[in-house]
Amino acid sequence: MELNFSKVERKGPITIVTLSRPEVYNALHTDAHFELNKVFDDFSADPEQWIAIVTGSGDKAFCAGNDLKWQAAGGKRGWDKGGFAGLTARFDCDKPIIAAVNGVAMGGGFEIALACDLIIASENATFALPEPRVGLAALAGGLHRLPRQIGLKRAMGMILTARHVSAKEGLELGFVNEVVPQGEALTAALRWAEMITKNSPMSIRASKQAIQKGLGVSLEQAIEEQREYPAVKAMVASQDYIEGPKAFAEKRPPKWVGK
């Protein structure tokens, strides 16, 4: 597939997706959403790719959200089944996705980051859900993910005021995992991804799926049902499930195959 609004690079089992509309701070429009949906479909379906990192082109912006100028000029809004950037409604991907936030993450851009499993932010990163300032609302997941991730009152404080939050405050609030110097967000995200690759990808997928499904039910139900989750069953039936204990007993690093 020809890519016009994004770039894809693979480093071993790690896929790096770069939002590439720097002339508009990587704001996204309909065509970009559909392109990114296909990019993340391909990542999800590729057994050789275990982890994805999403970042923005340039050093000023991760993603400025919805391209309002394009919309104001008559551009039609819309996206594929995966949601904004192909991510915000992607509930069936059990592979880890890391946001390397290298600048502005506004509106839909912040919603992309919130849909990821980890957020690594450069010191110049800024987060906000400013939709109310332009007569809109953060309906691509922000209104629901932010309260779940940092608590109701803290989320209300951000959402109702539409205020901008620094990377440092994001770390304090709990939605950012690490803050690094400007220009180092992608490098740090790769460091996190490489740490994850030391673990069995089958175990990682089972863990992510169990967490996601478990958060939607009671603790008792989650514990009762977790062994029936597809990724957990796949882990138990995998070669990695045998290799891990065997490598431990033989005092050697495991050789994960992801199946």
Side-chain angles (χ1 to χ4, degrees):
M1 180 182 68
E2 182 181 357
L3 299 178
N4 299 307
F5 312 110
S6 62
K7 299 175 183 176
V8 176
E9 178 185 3
R10 293 182 176 87
K11 292 190 174 184
I14 303 168
T15 294
I16 302 170
V17 180
T18 303
L19 310 178
S20 188
R21 299 189 76 215
E23 70 280 3
V24 288
Y25 291 87
N26 301 318
L28 302 179
H29 58 2
T30 300
D31 291 345
H33 292 309
F34 276 83
E35 177 177 299
L36 287 161
N37 191 78
K38 180 63 167 60
V39 165
F40 284 107
D41 277 351
D42 290 347
F43 162 72
S44 297
D46 189 343
E48 302 300 320
Q49 294 302 295
W50 298 354
I51 303 166
I53 297 172
V54 57
T55 192
S57 178
D59 58 1
K60 295 181 179 179
F62 172 71
C63 175
N66 180 41
D67 189 341
L68 293 176
K69 291 183 178 179
W70 185 83
Q71 181 180 340
K76 184 180 179 181
R77 290 193 69 187
W79 43 70
D80 211 331
K81 64 183 184 301
F84 199 95
L87 279 179
T88 60
R90 187 172 293 274
F91 297 105
D92 60 352
C93 181
D94 51 29
K95 298 178 181 181
I97 302 175
I98 303 171
V101 180
N102 54 312
V104 170
M106 295 291 164
F110 188 20
E111 290 175 297
I112 295 169
L114 288 171
C116 294
D117 301 296
L118 302 173
I119 298 177
I120 313 304
S122 60
E123 291 174 334
N124 64 315
T126 307
F127 302 88
L129 294 176
E131 283 86 349
R133 294 186 180 180
V134 292
L136 303 174
L139 299 177
L143 297 180
H144 305 290
R145 284 192 169 97
L146 192 60
R148 284 167 168 78
Q149 293 182 22
I150 67 173
L152 180 60
K153 291 294 189 277
R154 288 179 167 185
M156 282 292 196
M158 284 187 65
I159 293 165
L160 300 184
T161 62
R163 70 186 183 88
H164 293 192
V165 168
S166 68
K168 181 181 177 182
E169 186 178 356
L171 182 66
E172 294 168 352
L173 288 171
F175 65 79
V176 170
N177 293 88
E178 183 181 3
V179 178
V180 296
Q182 184 172 348
E184 296 184 17
L186 180 56
T187 299
L190 280 165
R191 171 167 46 80
W192 280 81
E194 287 163 0
M195 285 194 289
I196 293 171
T197 63
K198 295 184 184 300
N199 304 308
S200 164
M202 303 302 291
S203 298
I204 293 298
R205 293 170 201 167
S207 297
K208 176 176 174 178
Q209 189 175 96
I211 291 167
Q212 289 181 317
K213 289 182 175 293
L215 286 173
V217 299
S218 70
L219 175 62
E220 180 181 3
Q221 184 177 346
I223 293 173
E224 285 180 352
E225 297 179 352
Q226 63 185 352
R227 292 187 177 276
E228 297 304 313
Y229 297 156
V232 174
K233 294 176 77 171
M235 175 193 71
V236 173
S238 72
Q239 295 177 42
D240 284 358
Y241 196 70
I242 298 170
E243 168 64 8
K246 184 178 180 182
F248 179 82
E250 295 174 358
K251 298 181 179 180
R252 60 171 176 81
K255 297 177 182 178
W256 307 123
V257 295
K259 58 184 179 179

